[in-house]
Amino acid sequence: MSSSADDLYDFILVGAGSASCLITSRLSQQLPDHRILVLEAGEHIRNDPKVQTPGLAHTLQSNPIYDWQYSTGLEPGLNERSIKHPRGKLVGGTSAINSHSIVFPNYEWHDRLAKGLLTDAGVNDWSSEGMKECYARWQDENSQTKANHDEESPDRVQTSFPRSIDFLQSQWMRVFEDFGHTAVATGFTESSVGPVMVTNAIDASKGERSHAGTAFLEPALKRGNVTLRTGVKVDKIVFDKVLTGGKLNATGVRYTHQGEEHFISGREIVLCAGVFESPLILERSGVGSKEVLAAADVPVLYELPGVGENLQDHLNCSLSFETHDDVPTRDNVYRDPEVQKAALLEYEQSRTGRLSEGAAYSFAFTPLQMLETQSETQQLTEMVRHLVEETSSPSLQAQYAFIQKTSENPHEATATTFMLRTQRNRDTDSLPKGTPSIVPGNYVTVVAMLAHPFSRGSCHISSDLSIGPVINFNYLSHPLDTEILARHLRLIERLFQQPTFLAMAKPGGRRLPRSFPHPISSLEDAKKILPINSATNYHPCGTCSMMKEELRGVVDERLKVYGTNNIRVCDASVLPIIPRGNILTAVYAFAEKAAEIICRETKASCQSD
């Protein structure tokens, strides 16, 4: 094993994903005299048209050049399907392969997190008031007319609205107006109900994807105090044999590069390896559940049973209706290769057209009370209260009480709902072999994404350390997820009966999913659809949760791993309860707060020395 006595870094960041790139940027600016090392298992892929072109995002997922291609075990709640979970295999992480939409958490989520799951010491940092600047700092909204944008703000992700609002996007706003809900504010705000036009992580001045690698790490690498090493697989954290202050003290990390083992020394380790890999690195290092470590023959250095637990994801389900032939959906791209060629040519010539934009801008924050009767709402409220009271685990009791407040508040979304201007087929596995993946016609699809699921899963090392993580989400394992998501399918059906959508629907037109090609007439209809037509929104989080240790948390309010002096975690794994909407906004904001805390503590330590 090779090592160098001179190779001592102040900070070693494991992973070069969304959070790591941002933290590196901030540390390189604010701590210019400190040496920073970033270790990335993937590669630094620059100037790749597939990454840069917004409309080609779908070609990156499942492509082994760009995607680690994780998948779950067989999920009983989803008809024993194994669910793919793409994660970015390049600098920038999943922000470099995702589908761009920018949806923010709400104030209430942060306030409940800070006051209900953390000690009093964390309230100021993690409440909505303490996080406002963090949500504002990482992004910069822009338009295609803004010039030299990179020079003006090189350390922010560029976000933008669509260049123009098309027919279906305007109709999305109108369908909510049909029953009294006007557009609500985007961004990090208090909860509100209704439709919202969101931005996408696209630099409109270039018509290109804006991700963490380009926005944060590229500028940081030019400052002289940051070193990036790619193709590096971190095996474990190495600790002093003697405890310091009764806690483990990390001396560095052991990693493999091109088949050779290396050791690198660091004063502080920040794990940013992602929701699936950060817990595995802790477990391989001897921090985790004694049962999991014993099965893998790893000595327990600090027992922390929450490592790898509390795994959550946004499950979604959709309904589609066929529109009149003259409604301008985007289904023609599936049917006509010439449409695809024309779109690519337009993009190459002018960076305009459908390939210059993301797939989804039309969202809505939808509590069930929006279209439920009072008796329907009361029935669910009583069911939630009963099942939460039955919960025996202190950790789940705290989390479920958090979600219960959301479900009872008519101003908070129990699902984030969004519109796709095309058909969506997620039930192919349940249909006869050879069934075409695309159906004829033009479609509007509305998707309900369960805001705060009750189901919990896990991600752990295998007893065979040479294979990847063992991932199980246990989708729909908690009965309330089925109850709430089924009710949101019923809400979508009621949306379809509003005048705006009815005017677009083709008389006698097809309905999707094909496995249930009829309007939903009962809650039982909706429940039957869930196992065969539900899908992930690719928002895994929670495996190194920031919670009190007695609640099975893994990191404290300073993002320090319990039982250690100098290891932090910051990526999607630290989100203790999944926020509404797409989680990337929260990951960036948590990274801003992590950098803020690290800089504050480092500067205080330097002054005391």
Side-chain angles (χ1 to χ4, degrees), residues 122-135:
V123 172
N124 286 341
D125 272 330
W126 296 101
S127 67
S128 61
E129 188 61 35
M131 290 297 293
K132 285 179 183 177
E133 279 300 311
C134 294
Y135 279 97

Side-chain angles (χ1 to χ4, degrees), residues 405-430:
K405 292 176 183 175
T406 299
S407 68
E408 292 176 348
N409 185 348
H411 302 293
E412 289 190 66
T414 41
T416 304
T417 303
F418 58 97
M419 180 186 68
L420 299 175
R421 294 164 285 177
T422 183
Q423 61 184 272
R424 187 177 192 249
N425 299 288
R426 289 291 186 265
D427 62 338
T428 308
D429 290 344
S430 68

Side-chain angles (χ1 to χ4, degrees), residues 15-18 21 40-48 50-52 60 63-68 87-98 209 211-214 217 228 230-231:
S18 308
C21 290
E40 166 57 35
E43 297 300 331
H44 195 180
I45 300 176
R46 295 182 175 94
N47 303 319
D48 187 312
K50 285 188 177 180
V51 175
Q52 293 171 321
L60 304 173
N63 184 327
I65 295 173
Y66 309 97
D67 177 11
W68 286 111
R87 299 286 94 189
K89 193 179 179 181
L90 67 165
V91 168
T94 306
S95 74
I97 70 167
N98 69 358
R209 175 194 293 274
H211 65 82
T214 54
L217 194 60
L228 169 67
T230 59

Side-chain angles (χ1 to χ4, degrees), residues 102-106 172 176 179 181-198 361-371 409-418 447 449 451-452 488 491 495 579-582 585:
I102 299 294
V103 186
F104 287 83
N106 48 318
W172 177 253
F176 285 90
F179 53 100
H181 290 282
T182 55
V184 298
T186 187
F188 182 51
T189 62
E190 287 184 329
S191 285
S192 52
V193 176
V196 59
M197 182 70 69
V198 305
Y361 294 86
S362 301
F363 284 73
F365 299 123
T366 49
L368 286 171
Q369 294 91 329
M370 175 181 281
L371 280 178
N409 185 348
H411 302 293
E412 289 190 66
T414 41
T416 304
T417 303
F418 58 97
V447 186
M449 181 170 70
H452 308 293
H488 275 283
L491 186 151
L495 271 183
R580 73 177 191 190
N582 299 11
T585 57

Side-chain angles (χ1 to χ4, degrees), residues 379-397:
Q379 180 189 44
L380 179 64
T381 299
E382 291 173 2
M383 190 182 305
V384 171
R385 186 176 297 125
H386 173 70
L387 288 173
V388 169
E389 288 173 354
E390 279 189 340
T391 304
S392 58
S393 160
S395 177
L396 291 178
Q397 180 69 243

Side-chain angles (χ1 to χ4, degrees), residues 14-15 87 271-279 543-544 569-573:
V14 179
R87 299 286 94 189
L271 288 181
C272 304
V275 67
F276 299 136
E277 293 294 339
S278 287
T543 51
C544 296
V569 183
C570 188
D571 51 36
S573 71

